[in-house]
Amino acid sequence: MAQYMGEIRGEIQRLTEELIERQELDGTWRFCFENGISIDACTIILFRTLNIDKEDLIRQLHDRILAAQEPEGCWRWYHDDKEGHLSATVEAYYALLYSGYSKPEDEPIQRAKRYILDRGGIGHAGSLLTKAILAATGQRDWPTSLSLIPIEILLLPESLPLNFYDFSGYSRVHLVPLLIMADRNFRARSKRTPDLSELFLDARSEEEDPLTLTPESREPLKLIQSALAHLVGTPQRIRHAAVNRAEQYMLDRIESDGTLYTYASCTVLMVFALLALGYEPQHPVIQRAVEGLSQMKFAVDRGGQGGTRYVTIQNSPSTVWDTALISYALQKAGVSPTHPAIQRAADYLRERQHHRPGDWQIHNPGIVPGGWGFSETNTFVPDVDDTTAALRALSAFHADDCEVLESWNRGLNWVWSMQNNDGGWPAFEKNTNKEMLTWLAIEGAKSAAIDPSEADLTGRTLEFLGNFAKLSVRQDWVARGADWLLSHQEEDGSWYGRWGICYIYGTWAALTGLMAVGMPADHPGIAKAADWLRRIQNPDGGWGESCRSDQLRRYVSLQASIPSQTAWALDALIAVHDQPTPEIERGVARLIAMLYEEDWPSTYPTGAGLPGYFYVHYHSYRYIWPLLPLSHYVNKYGDGTH
């Protein structure tokens, strides 16, 4: 089978050369973080509300949204979203009209209108972001669900059993501007604002947004109300202080590019909230935010469509993440650490290590900053996954370079310190896992309100600790991480992955992590997981999982093979088996074939943001994840086994 091994080596060489050629002069790799049309639509609506002179960008975003419409009139988050997505369609319809480049009588607009009406009208759009944009621009009342959380919660001390910082950082930065706008009953309409009233079929859904509070959802509300009773002062003074605290919360978390937390979604909400507080559209903070959003645009080539391009707004550009992963993958593929591309990437990554304090210190005090964030302008919102990714890329340098060693030690110490009390690892903040916050009757609360230990994060952290920090289950804290993983394995042998799609992603992370820290391949949990991966392999040799898994919380086959998911499954099986199995051989053959295919599976989103509402197609993943298992295959099995 030497010829087969030669083919694998050839693909490794081809991918390596292409990646090195695509590196920027500053050492980065800049691929698109594509996240549907929702952010594009919200940006158009915001810019038109502000009367911002960004005509070229608005037209480009309009054209991209229009091109993504399905024949049924809807917009989808992913290919097999058969019913279409009502919230995304409402946002697209609104933005296309508000842009001025589509007219109510246009055939695509009429198709979208019929789709919305057929599904009960705008009042049935479930996304909280959709509801907020509609309310902020005077199309509907503010959702009743937001009134459940009084803005005074920002004044509660962190010592109380339930306080504002018990919410995850992601939910906080979105919740604060929403609470400000709802408190002020803010709405910004102009003569240019489209009238969407005919698309509300149920007046009650527009005016009341009724909720049925369960006994569970009442529990956190009781705690919040009880805590608020201890605030001293008149209700009016307390409310005024809370609004001031909310305003300062946003201003203190604006990055150098003008964005809030480097997220486009909460930046859009922040600008509307500042308008609600009386800021003029020309205020420097708002203008900087507009420029920051504009800089998040990414021009993407349309493959096979005459060389044309489309422009999209990235919710959070993935430059640090992509650069770290690609540098690591190239080194695994045999590129020397002395190669200029690897050296440039290392210099860039070292410059992006965090030194500023951040909200993560509230639950993890006394630790020196040392993590990395996802985006280039991110300076105080580190996360565990990006930090271990950067450390993997720098691992070849820390033994011989004192400066890199200092960065390495700070990063490793930060990762270690972020371990939750239960033994697993979170994404952003330690021990932010009070389950009762997921009971709140707010859309997305179950997935976004807290930041608990997750199988993908714990597995990837263990993989780093084992393969790069040379730690094993002999260390107590590493053993606690492995124990957490094994205790959270699904009955069928898989693990749920929070930030990828989904069970394949979590199972890959868990298996590679457990193997890296010294768990035996014949451990029952590992054997069961490997057997699950074999059982779900597609007849063509690949693997593919639907985004519906994320919503249903059970594995759903896509009935098609996806490059990144095939790569994850292969990487896990290669980690477990000392010799290549028939499943691995078939998987490698299918993966190589997929590298040359340009069809919908090659662009299917495999990154997860918010179940049901936010999925990501990382344009870098068609390079990173295939390169790693192919390299691991060659490095582990070599020519001698064939």
Side-chain angles (χ1 to χ4, degrees):
M1 298 292 287
Q3 182 179 358
Y4 185 60
M5 183 63 76
E7 184 180 2
I8 296 174
R9 291 186 187 277
E11 289 304 318
I12 291 172
Q13 183 66 25
R14 185 182 67 81
L15 289 170
T16 297
E17 291 174 355
E18 185 169 348
L19 282 171
I20 290 174
E21 185 178 339
R22 292 191 61 154
Q23 189 184 34
E24 303 289 339
L25 292 176
D26 63 359
T28 63
W29 281 272
R30 298 178 185 273
F31 285 91
C32 186
F33 176 84
E34 189 170 357
N35 37 244
I37 54 86
S38 182
I39 302 300
D40 297 341
C42 291
T43 301
I44 290 176
I45 294 165
L46 175 66
F47 284 6
R48 282 295 187 232
T49 301
L50 294 171
N51 198 26
I52 292 292
D53 183 19
K54 294 278 184 183
E55 213 55 45
D56 286 347
L57 178 55
I58 290 172
R59 181 58 190 260
Q60 290 169 333
L61 296 177
H62 164 276
D63 292 351
R64 189 259 168 148
I65 294 171
L66 189 61
Q69 188 181 27
E70 300 291 341
E72 304 91 331
C74 65
W75 280 260
R76 294 176 177 145
W77 271 108
Y78 47 89
H79 180 81
D80 55 323
D81 186 8
K82 298 301 184 185
E83 297 293 318
H85 201 284
L86 179 58
S87 291
T89 303
V90 168
E91 292 165 353
Y93 177 89
Y94 190 11
L96 291 175
L97 285 179
Y98 214 160
S99 74
Y101 295 109
S102 286
K103 305 299 181 186
E105 61 273 15
D106 292 349
E107 190 271 338
I109 296 297
Q110 288 295 310
R111 279 191 289 127
K113 180 179 178 180
R114 287 194 296 271
Y115 173 88
I116 294 169
L117 291 175
D118 287 347
R119 276 147 187 82
I122 286 181
H124 287 270
S127 166
L128 185 57
L129 178 62
T130 309
K131 293 178 180 180
I133 294 297
L134 292 170
T137 53
Q139 300 289 354
R140 57 158 292 154
D141 287 347
W142 280 94
T144 306
S145 57
L146 287 174
S147 66
L148 298 175
I149 304 176
I151 198 169
E152 289 87 351
I153 192 175
L154 275 81
L155 300 177
L156 296 180
E158 294 149 26
S159 59
L160 290 180
L162 193 64
N163 64 79
F164 181 60
Y165 285 94
D166 287 326
F167 286 93
S168 71
Y170 175 86
S171 61
R172 290 197 305 269
V173 296
H174 289 85
L175 189 57
V176 165
L178 291 174
L179 292 178
I180 290 172
M181 288 187 282
D183 177 71
R184 297 295 175 95
N185 196 25
F186 172 72
R187 52 191 63 221
R189 287 187 71 98
S190 69
K191 293 180 180 178
R192 198 172 187 175
T193 307
D195 181 7
L196 305 183
S197 58
E198 65 178 338
L199 296 184
F200 284 93
L201 295 183
D202 184 353
R204 187 180 63 176
S205 67
E206 176 186 4
E207 296 169 5
E208 299 176 15
D209 193 32
L211 289 170
T212 301
L213 292 180
T214 64
E216 275 190 336
S217 63
R218 287 190 171 92
E219 287 303 310
L221 300 178
K222 287 178 183 176
L223 269 179
I224 293 171
Q225 291 297 336
S226 175
L228 292 177
H230 294 284
L231 295 177
V232 178
T234 64
Q236 187 174 2
R237 288 186 62 185
I238 293 173
R239 174 62 57 91
H240 182 69
V243 172
N244 286 342
R245 178 73 61 85
E247 177 184 3
Q248 198 60 47
Y249 178 90
M250 295 188 299
L251 297 177
D252 289 345
R253 287 158 181 80
I254 296 175
E255 288 283 10
S256 61
D257 64 351
T259 63
L260 177 60
Y261 249 53
T262 67
Y263 295 143
S265 53
C266 60
T267 301
V268 168
L269 295 176
M270 176 188 72
V271 173
F272 279 122
L274 293 174
L275 294 175
L277 292 170
Y279 285 60
E280 295 295 329
Q282 295 76 29
H283 192 283
V285 174
I286 290 180
Q287 290 298 310
R288 283 177 55 226
V290 167
E291 288 307 312
L293 289 169
S294 302
Q295 291 167 18
M296 286 180 166
K297 71 179 181 181
F298 199 102
V300 182
D301 290 318
R302 285 188 203 274
Q305 295 187 24
T308 60
R309 314 188 90 193
Y310 63 86
V311 168
T312 185
I313 300 292
Q314 304 171 100
N315 191 48
S316 188
S318 55
T319 309
V320 174
W321 176 246
D322 288 337
T323 300
L325 289 178
I326 290 170
S327 175
Y328 156 61
L330 287 173
Q331 291 177 68
K332 281 293 178 183
V335 179
S336 170
T338 62
H339 191 287
I342 304 302
Q343 294 277 354
R344 286 193 296 267
D347 291 342
Y348 172 84
L349 290 170
R350 280 189 53 229
E351 291 173 0
R352 291 300 177 278
Q353 188 173 26
H354 289 189
H355 297 271
R356 293 178 61 190
D359 287 346
W360 59 270
Q361 292 177 313
I362 291 170
H363 297 289
N364 191 14
I367 301 298
V368 175
W372 276 262
F374 183 73
S375 296
E376 187 167 55
T377 57
N378 183 332
T379 62
F380 58 86
V381 190
D383 67 89
V384 171
D385 223 4
D386 275 286
T387 300
T388 60
L391 290 171
R392 285 184 188 89
L394 294 172
S395 63
F397 301 93
H398 78 279
D400 303 318
D401 188 318
C402 291
E403 291 185 358
V404 178
L405 178 61
E406 190 271 337
S407 293
W408 172 275
N409 286 337
R410 281 199 299 118
L412 180 59
N413 185 62
W414 188 82
V415 169
W416 166 78
S417 76
M418 289 294 290
Q419 186 177 28
N420 282 332
N421 291 345
D422 62 12
W425 271 267
F428 298 99
E429 294 181 346
K430 183 176 181 178
N431 294 331
T432 311
N433 55 356
K434 290 187 176 176
E435 186 182 2
M436 68 171 60
L437 292 178
T438 69
W439 302 341
L440 291 170
I442 295 177
E443 297 82 358
K446 190 168 183 62
S447 297
I450 60 175
D451 187 7
S453 297
E454 299 287 1
D456 49 339
L457 297 165
T458 302
R460 285 182 54 73
T461 302
L462 291 179
E463 189 276 336
F464 161 72
L465 293 173
N467 287 335
F468 296 89
K470 305 307 178 186
L471 300 172
S472 73
V473 288
R474 290 190 296 271
Q475 280 79 32
D476 175 68
W477 59 287
V478 177
R480 289 198 302 116
D483 288 343
W484 184 91
L485 265 182
L486 292 169
S487 68
H488 286 78
Q489 189 173 22
E490 302 287 334
E491 188 65 31
D492 61 6
S494 67
W495 280 270
Y496 171 78
R498 167 66 177 85
W499 299 98
I501 304 300
C502 190
Y503 289 92
I504 293 176
Y505 185 70
T507 304
W508 159 70
L511 277 180
T512 53
L514 291 171
M515 293 298 298
V517 295
M519 297 292 290
D522 60 357
H523 184 283
I526 292 176
K528 190 174 184 180
D531 184 60
W532 178 79
L533 284 173
R534 286 191 290 268
R535 291 201 314 272
I536 66 165
Q537 187 174 22
N538 289 333
D540 67 1
W543 282 262
E545 181 176 1
S546 171
C547 290
R548 292 176 59 217
S549 292
D550 206 26
Q551 298 165 258
L552 301 177
R553 290 303 292 257
R554 60 176 175 81
Y555 172 76
V556 178
S557 174
L558 184 61
Q559 306 298 317
S561 294
I562 303 297
S564 57
Q565 291 173 339
T566 298
W568 294 332
L570 270 176
D571 206 40
L573 292 175
I574 290 169
V576 170
H577 294 287
D578 289 334
Q579 299 291 332
T581 66
E583 292 84 4
I584 291 174
E585 300 285 21
R586 289 171 51 233
V588 167
R590 183 68 187 103
L591 179 61
I592 290 174
M594 279 189 283
L595 297 178
Y596 295 89
E597 295 172 359
E598 295 285 349
D599 49 13
W600 70 262
S602 67
T603 59
Y604 191 82
T606 55
L610 191 64
Y613 296 109
F614 194 88
Y615 297 98
V616 182
H617 167 44
Y618 289 86
H619 287 230
S620 62
Y621 278 15
R622 67 177 301 159
Y623 299 95
I624 296 167
W625 301 122
L627 184 56
L628 274 172
L630 293 179
S631 300
H632 288 155
Y633 183 100
V634 170
N635 295 338
K636 186 168 187 176
Y637 304 136
D639 291 315
T641 62
H642 295 279

